[in-house]
Amino acid sequence: MTPRHTILLTGGLGYIGSHTAVALVEAGYRAVILDDLSNSERSVFDAICQICGDEHLEFIEGDVTDAACLKTVFEAHDFFGVIHFAAKKSVAESEADPLSYLHTNLSGLVELLRAMDTAGVYNLVFSSSATVYGDQEVFPIPETATRHAVNTYGYTKVASEEMLERVGTADDRWSFGVLRYFNPIGAHGSGLIGENPKGIPANLLPYIDRVATGELPELVVYGDDYDTPDGTGVRDYIHVMDLAEGHVQSLDAIDATGQGHVVNIGTGQGYSVLEVIKAYEAVSDIEIPFRIAPRRAGDVAVYCADASLARDVLGFQAKRDLFEMCRTNWAWTQKMAEAKTA
Ligand code: WQD
């Protein structure tokens, strides 16, 4: 089958990028993955090929801030568009080392745009984040909410979106699909790819995974005194495959209309930390011990998406529920544990 189009995925061996590569190939696209392996493993490419075959997949090791590398990649391919995942994404790390975040996240985007412009490729889907909203008063959060960064990571996402707005205003050949993620969790149903952060996980589900395997003794719940039904933080968790399919729909919309968009990619349904623990215990049949600790700096009580615009503009609708998110997280965790002992 001849692929509909060839797409460059920068950072395509990461958690969301790898799942998007699978969704793209399954939708009839060819995916060329550029990744510098700074926060991913080469073996992820083999796993993606195991899931959907290697006929329409290619891997290139390279850094998105390297103009010479990008020039070579664009000269060797006829891309319809690019999905840009390659960026640093830790809030805490961004505060400790802001310069590396400005370099990778902002210089990287500028070099990518310059390489695309030189090659005459003007379709870009950009991996943004709900972090651009900072602290909000109105929930669920609509795309019209004001953006304001409350940390350096969030600043790089706001600045990136503003850069795209400026470039798009100056040259109408550009079409940008800006996707604001909420809380992606879960894993591909095969158990062959999933989230695998290095060191002690900062995010909730990878941390619960480590408690479920016994690597960590208990979960620390950051605060039970928020203004929420059970006092713990509420987030809009979305299955990573729903999110991946949303990227395909963003490309499809650009292909069909030539128009860009800025949309939340969430479910519109929030769950608290305690509700997530209960769902994970139900699907894994494992008790997750936890203790309550003070709130974590920078956390907000509630982060939930108004997901109606993505439905109207892209036809996006999340299909997988919290139990499927936790079930696939646990299945992936079990496969990783088996691989470690093999
Ligand atoms: C979720 C909830 C915590 C860990 C982060 C980034 C954001 C985005 C998604 C990139 C909160 C609680 C967590 C733990 C806990 N990434 N929690 N114990 O903070 O909503 O968002 O990931 O775009 O930019 O900030 O996700 O999974 O860290 O926290 O109680 O050990 O779980 O307080 O209520 P968060 P998270």
Side-chain angles (χ1 to χ4, degrees):
M1 171 191 71
T2 307
R4 293 160 57 185
H5 291 303
T6 299
I7 306 299
L8 174 65
L9 271 73
T10 70
L13 292 191
Y15 173 43
I16 300 164
S18 55
H19 288 80
T20 301
V22 170
L24 278 172
V25 172
E26 288 176 349
Y29 287 92
R30 172 172 167 71
V32 176
I33 293 171
L34 176 69
D35 200 298
D36 66 359
L37 301 179
S38 61
N39 192 25
S40 55
E41 310 288 339
R42 172 68 176 69
S43 59
V44 173
F45 182 69
D46 302 328
I48 296 169
C49 293
Q50 200 176 335
I51 292 168
C52 51
D54 60 2
E55 191 185 1
H56 299 311
L57 281 163
E58 180 183 346
F59 170 67
I60 301 167
E61 183 173 351
D63 181 342
V64 75
T65 63
D66 179 346
C69 168
L70 288 172
K71 183 172 183 295
T72 304
V73 170
F74 277 88
E75 285 172 349
H77 299 88
D78 176 19
F79 293 123
F80 167 76
V82 178
I83 305 182
H84 183 40
F85 292 109
K88 292 176 178 286
K89 63 162 189 169
S90 162
V91 170
E93 188 187 54
S94 76
E95 293 304 279
D97 185 5
L99 263 181
S100 74
Y101 273 69
L102 299 180
H103 175 62
T104 300
N105 293 12
L106 299 185
S107 304
L109 178 57
V110 170
E111 290 306 335
L112 176 64
L113 291 169
R114 293 178 66 183
M116 291 176 70
D117 191 21
T118 303
V121 179
Y122 292 102
N123 301 320
L124 174 69
V125 174
F126 176 68
S127 165
S128 190
S129 166
T131 309
V132 302
Y133 294 120
D135 295 323
Q136 292 291 325
E137 299 298 326
V138 175
F139 297 102
I141 306 173
E143 289 81 354
T144 51
T146 51
R147 290 177 303 205
H148 61 275
V150 292
N151 53 62
T152 302
Y153 164 69
Y155 165 76
T156 66
K157 290 301 182 183
V158 172
S160 295
E161 288 193 10
E162 289 175 345
M163 283 158 57
L164 297 181
E165 287 159 13
R166 286 177 178 273
V167 168
T169 302
D171 182 341
D172 63 9
R173 287 175 295 180
W174 291 101
S175 298
F176 298 121
V178 176
L179 308 185
R180 292 173 179 165
Y181 307 163
F182 280 69
N183 288 63
I185 62 173
H188 187 266
S190 64
L192 293 174
I193 53 175
E195 189 171 16
N196 184 20
K198 293 182 168 49
I200 302 290
N203 294 138
L204 181 64
L205 264 294
Y207 199 104
I208 291 178
D209 290 336
R210 304 281 173 88
V211 174
T213 59
E215 284 176 71
L216 293 169
E218 63 179 3
L219 171 69
V220 178
V221 175
Y222 294 127
D224 67 347
D225 56 352
Y226 286 105
D227 183 15
T228 61
D230 64 21
T232 61
V234 171
R235 295 292 183 273
D236 186 326
Y237 298 99
I238 180 168
H239 197 290
V240 66
M241 281 311 297
D242 278 330
L243 179 57
E245 289 159 10
H247 286 75
V248 176
Q249 289 173 294
S250 178
L251 273 176
D252 290 346
I254 291 172
D255 191 11
T257 68
Q259 297 300 310
H261 40 267
V262 179
V263 294
N264 293 331
I265 299 288
T267 68
Q269 168 68 52
Y271 291 102
S272 73
V273 177
L274 295 183
E275 287 173 318
V276 172
I277 293 171
K278 283 192 184 69
Y280 199 104
E281 290 180 328
V283 299
S284 65
D285 200 24
I286 289 178
E287 181 193 357
I288 302 296
F290 66 87
R291 65 177 170 84
I292 304 295
R295 297 179 179 186
R296 179 173 65 176
D299 275 358
V300 295
V302 178
Y303 244 162
C304 273
D306 176 339
S308 57
L309 186 59
R311 184 195 59 231
D312 299 343
V313 170
L314 306 183
F316 174 77
Q317 186 68 47
K319 299 192 287 286
R320 300 159 177 95
D321 66 11
L322 181 64
F323 290 102
E324 181 64 3
M325 297 178 211
C326 292
R327 189 191 65 73
T328 50
N329 237 88
W330 174 232
W332 155 247
T333 299
Q334 288 177 293
K335 285 254 187 179
M336 274 203 297
E338 285 161 18
K340 280 178 188 166
T341 53

